[in-house]
Amino acid sequence: MGAGHAHQLYRHGHSPVHDLPPHCKLAAVFAFVIVVVSTPREAVWAFGLYALLLAAVAAAARVPAGYLVRRLLIEVPFVAFAVLMPFVAEGERVHVLGLSLSVSGLWGAWNVLAKGTLGVAASVLLASTTELRALLLGLQRLKLPPLLVQIASFMIRYGDVVSDELRRMSVARRSRGFEARGVRHWGVLAKTAGALFIRSYERGERVYLAMVSRGYAGSMPVIDEVSASRAQWAYAAALPVTALAVCLMGWTL
């Protein structure tokens, strides 16, 4: 299985984090996120320690702080939602700078921001140190349903193809003097979306028939077999195990 497309988040490097097998990193990030989500929101200090753990991983992977912060902008919609929570939530209220804020809303906003930011940061670090093809191989190694892995592989492989098709359709519209201005042009844009769907569907049918003619029987051949040593698993487990210790302290204190 292959997907020779490089994604923009990946930073080429030869750090210890880059060299870890992809399934080790996937398992470590998933376990870390589970631990973060399970941490009580009142243990504010614990989230600070989680941030320090991710900072240590970023340093080991040689991922600049500015690069990581820029990629965290993807969570802006969640930030906007969290900012609104203290104003719309019910219950006990406190006054801050002349504003009446809900106590439960403040805790909810903190919960969303802290856990969401840590989860996104961990995902960005994973994407920054692992190529897309390696991620797919890691998912396959972790026994994710093969059909889901194949769907993800084709999404990656043909995403650029569909985007180019949409770009050519847009150029064709503009070359004929069309510019979307207002509601009256939504019909044209809807027809464009329909045409793009039909072309993509037909392309998928042709690709599937080509695969069947070459012996495809429901599963893709495994070209590269990835494996991990005990030392690599132990190195990857350092992040979630340390986070788990912090989480247990948060529940007991």
Side-chain angles (χ1 to χ4, degrees):
M1 175 182 56
H5 294 74
H7 60 87
Q8 296 180 354
L9 289 178
Y10 178 70
R11 288 178 59 88
H12 181 74
H14 298 286
S15 69
V17 181
H18 283 80
D19 295 337
L20 280 177
H23 53 292
C24 293
K25 289 185 278 190
L26 282 165
V29 169
F30 179 77
F32 174 78
V33 171
I34 292 297
V35 171
V36 169
V37 173
S38 303
T39 304
R41 63 187 184 183
E42 293 79 10
V44 177
W45 57 270
F47 296 101
L49 293 179
Y50 294 150
L52 290 177
L53 287 175
L54 290 182
V57 174
R62 303 185 184 95
V63 176
Y67 175 88
L68 182 60
V69 171
R70 288 195 301 272
R71 294 303 184 271
L72 288 177
L73 292 177
I74 194 174
E75 68 166 345
V76 168
F78 298 97
V79 173
F81 171 75
V83 169
L84 291 175
M85 291 181 67
F87 296 95
V88 299
E90 299 179 352
E92 180 185 355
R93 308 192 74 82
V94 294
H95 294 276
V96 180
L97 299 177
L99 299 175
S100 178
L101 304 177
S102 167
V103 174
S104 61
L106 287 171
W107 277 116
W110 159 252
N111 194 49
V112 171
L113 284 176
K115 296 180 179 180
T117 301
L118 290 169
V120 173
S123 301
V124 170
L125 285 174
L126 173 64
S128 300
T129 57
T130 315
E131 293 182 337
L132 276 177
R133 182 174 182 274
L135 283 175
L136 294 174
L137 290 173
L139 292 173
Q140 191 175 54
R141 181 70 178 181
L142 292 175
K143 304 303 181 182
L144 196 74
L147 183 59
L148 294 180
V149 178
Q150 292 178 45
I151 291 173
S153 176
F154 284 115
M155 287 176 60
I156 295 168
R157 185 182 298 274
Y158 288 99
D160 293 338
V161 176
V162 176
S163 298
D164 288 340
E165 188 77 30
L166 180 61
R167 180 183 56 81
R168 288 193 295 270
M169 295 171 70
S170 177
V171 171
R173 289 198 310 269
R174 291 198 302 270
S175 67
R176 291 164 174 79
F178 173 82
E179 291 187 15
R181 296 177 179 175
V183 179
R184 66 179 183 278
H185 291 137
W186 286 7
V188 177
L189 298 178
K191 292 177 181 178
T192 299
L196 180 64
F197 173 79
I198 293 174
R199 293 185 184 185
S200 301
Y201 182 83
E202 291 176 345
R203 184 187 297 274
E205 287 290 324
R206 293 195 299 271
V207 171
Y208 173 73
L209 291 176
M211 292 170 59
V212 171
S213 67
R214 289 164 175 77
Y216 175 75
S219 61
M220 301 292 286
V222 178
I223 299 176
D224 297 326
E225 185 68 30
V226 291
S227 58
S229 64
R230 291 184 178 180
Q232 289 173 320
W233 274 112
Y235 187 80
L239 175 65
V241 169
T242 306
L244 178 61
V246 174
C247 178
L248 294 176
M249 291 175 59
W251 279 106
T252 55
L253 293 180

